[in-house]
Amino acid sequence: MSTPDPLEQRLIDLEIRFSYADDLLDALNAQVARQQDQIDRLMAEVAELRRRREDEPGGGFRSLRDELPPHY
């Protein structure tokens, strides 16, 4: 087996590096998609909690100072 010339070896090295970079890009894209799904779910949950709070009687602003701790 003969050794490739320097130009061919550089091309092989670049193809290998590109392959790793392409795999990393795919992994990062998948992670970003998962995070966006999580953000969307959390935003929907916050909106639901806000809606519930507004639907409660006396659902206006409450100060935490007005509430007694559980041990009283």
Side-chain angles (χ1 to χ4, degrees):
M1 180 171 157
S2 66
T3 59
D5 65 33
L7 187 59
E8 188 175 344
Q9 184 59 46
R10 283 185 63 195
L11 182 59
I12 291 169
D13 292 343
L14 286 172
E15 287 175 339
I16 291 170
R17 290 180 69 188
F18 175 76
S19 176
Y20 283 122
D22 196 39
D23 289 344
L24 178 60
L25 182 61
D26 288 342
L28 290 173
N29 280 336
Q31 180 66 30
V32 168
R34 284 191 301 271
Q35 287 177 342
Q36 187 60 53
D37 289 342
Q38 185 179 24
I39 289 169
D40 292 341
R41 286 192 313 271
L42 290 171
M43 288 179 68
E45 187 174 336
V46 167
E48 175 64 20
L49 290 172
R50 284 183 180 157
R51 186 194 59 76
R52 284 185 193 174
R53 186 181 68 192
E54 291 170 359
D55 290 347
E56 289 178 355
F61 176 77
R62 292 186 320 197
S63 172
L64 293 178
R65 293 180 181 162
D66 296 337
E67 294 185 18
L68 292 175
H71 61 278
Y72 281 102

